[in-house]
Amino acid sequence: MVNLLDVADRLLSGPKVPSDQWDMGLFREISRLVKKYEIRYPGDGSHFNFDEKMPKRLLEAGIEFLVNRGVYCVTTNRVIQFSEQEVRDACWTAPRELVVGEGRDARLLKQRQEDGKDPLNLMPGLNSPFDEDLGLLVVKNEALNQAADYIGVFNPRQVEGREIYGVAMEIYATKRVVAAQREGVRRAGRPGMAISYYPLGTRPEVVISAVDPYNGLRRTDGLQLTVMPDVKIEQSLVSAAVFYEEYGSFRMNTGGRGLIGGFCGGVEGAAVEGVA
């Protein structure tokens, strides 16, 4: 079973590939997989897939992409490679449910089956450039919605009138924003509600600075680590993921979206990239 330390090792030891070569290789491979697995978008304005066999084909296309191409680290210009068994094992051993938050505010997040009828989990997504005062009020009002299981963080453009630029300000802003997030759920009467932090910067020291059992991220909270378009990652976020795995917080991939019209091609290619 591959783990984060394996990933951290492979992004330093994998084959070196120029960025433009990766991009063109991604385009060719995804184009091939779209044809091989007959991934089709009707283009008739429908937002739903009525081909019951296409999800399985799409899954196989995503797995084949990872096995054939891997993941590109933009920091080291190396490809992180995986065997087919490693990819399939990772799919099968991914957690099907997760408890977030604590005390009476703890909630169960569950993988929803294709034909399942369980209620969807709800995370009010903020990730918007509110200033500190407004952000705190928005968090409080979103947390008052009892259907919300956990809550995202807001991302101000400035803190105390200062632009968030450079590692020192990014760390300071992170501490202020996460503390405001925690205060917002407390004012809503839900002190144990889980919060999910979207990093203000990608340096490991910035991402890790959000940890604070009282005014920041607890072990029952989480953070969002984004895989970039074109199946690319940064070494710094892998480092942060290693830290938070040991700390105990849950980690979310808020990427997984192919850039339609980019190197993945159209809607069909973006779907394959998203699955990968």
Side-chain angles (χ1 to χ4, degrees):
M1 177 66 185
V2 69
N3 58 43
L4 284 172
L5 293 181
D6 294 321
V7 174
D9 178 60
R10 294 176 195 183
L11 62 79
L12 294 173
S13 61
K16 206 159 183 91
V17 175
S19 180
D20 57 348
Q21 185 177 324
W22 168 265
D23 293 336
M24 295 310 301
L26 178 141
F27 173 75
R28 287 191 294 268
E29 179 68 3
I30 287 187
S31 298
R32 183 187 71 81
L33 292 170
V34 166
K35 292 179 181 178
K36 175 180 178 179
Y37 289 97
E38 299 179 352
I39 309 300
R40 298 190 182 97
Y41 176 63
D44 60 0
S46 173
H47 295 285
F48 297 94
N49 165 50
F50 294 102
D51 180 350
E52 294 184 358
K53 295 181 179 179
M54 190 161 70
K56 175 65 174 176
R57 300 200 305 272
L58 192 55
L59 173 63
E60 291 301 318
I63 290 174
E64 188 168 330
F65 176 88
L66 281 178
V67 173
N68 289 347
R69 302 297 301 178
V71 176
Y72 189 70
C73 178
V74 299
T75 314
T76 63
N77 298 119
R78 293 184 183 274
V79 177
I80 304 163
Q81 297 176 314
F82 303 99
S83 70
E84 181 175 350
Q85 191 62 52
E86 287 175 332
V87 175
R88 293 188 183 277
D89 285 348
C91 291
W92 282 110
T93 57
R96 284 356 187 215
E97 60 182 43
L98 179 70
V99 175
V100 304
E102 60 186 25
R104 62 183 175 84
D105 297 310
R107 294 292 178 90
L108 178 66
L109 308 184
K110 295 179 65 176
Q111 182 190 50
R112 196 169 190 264
Q113 299 302 312
E114 189 176 350
D115 56 352
K117 295 180 173 59
D118 292 335
L120 292 171
N121 287 113
L122 175 63
M123 181 200 80
L126 298 174
N127 299 345
S128 299
F130 301 114
D131 62 34
E132 290 177 84
D133 292 338
L134 181 58
L136 190 153
L137 292 175
V138 171
V139 169
K140 173 189 172 183
N141 283 281
E142 294 280 13
L144 286 170
N145 179 359
Q146 295 301 308
D149 295 299
Y150 64 110
I151 192 166
V153 73
F154 62 95
N155 304 100
R157 289 173 292 192
Q158 294 183 333
V159 169
E160 298 179 354
R162 296 175 183 267
E163 182 182 359
I164 303 173
Y165 178 77
V167 64
M169 276 304 301
E170 289 173 8
I171 289 174
Y172 183 74
T174 292
K175 304 291 284 186
R176 289 293 299 264
V177 167
V178 179
Q181 188 86 359
R182 178 65 62 213
E183 180 61 22
V185 298
R186 284 179 181 143
R187 292 188 185 186
R190 301 181 65 184
M193 185 181 191
I195 65 176
S196 178
Y197 167 59
Y198 191 97
L200 296 179
T202 60
R203 296 178 179 89
E205 59 268 37
V206 174
V207 184
I208 292 170
S209 68
V211 168
D212 182 332
Y214 184 75
N215 282 321
L217 293 189
R218 304 163 301 193
R219 287 178 166 82
T220 53
D221 295 318
L223 76 159
Q224 303 171 42
L225 298 168
T226 300
V227 175
M228 295 181 287
D230 304 326
V231 199
K232 297 176 178 178
I233 64 169
E234 295 178 78
Q235 183 179 14
S236 58
L237 292 186
V238 174
S239 303
V242 170
F243 172 85
Y244 277 100
E245 182 175 61
E246 291 297 311
Y247 183 61
S249 296
F250 64 93
R251 286 88 55 207
M252 301 163 46
N253 169 28
T254 55
R257 297 182 293 270
L259 203 61
I260 297 172
F263 286 105
C264 66
V267 174
E268 298 86 354
V272 174
E273 181 183 316
V275 171

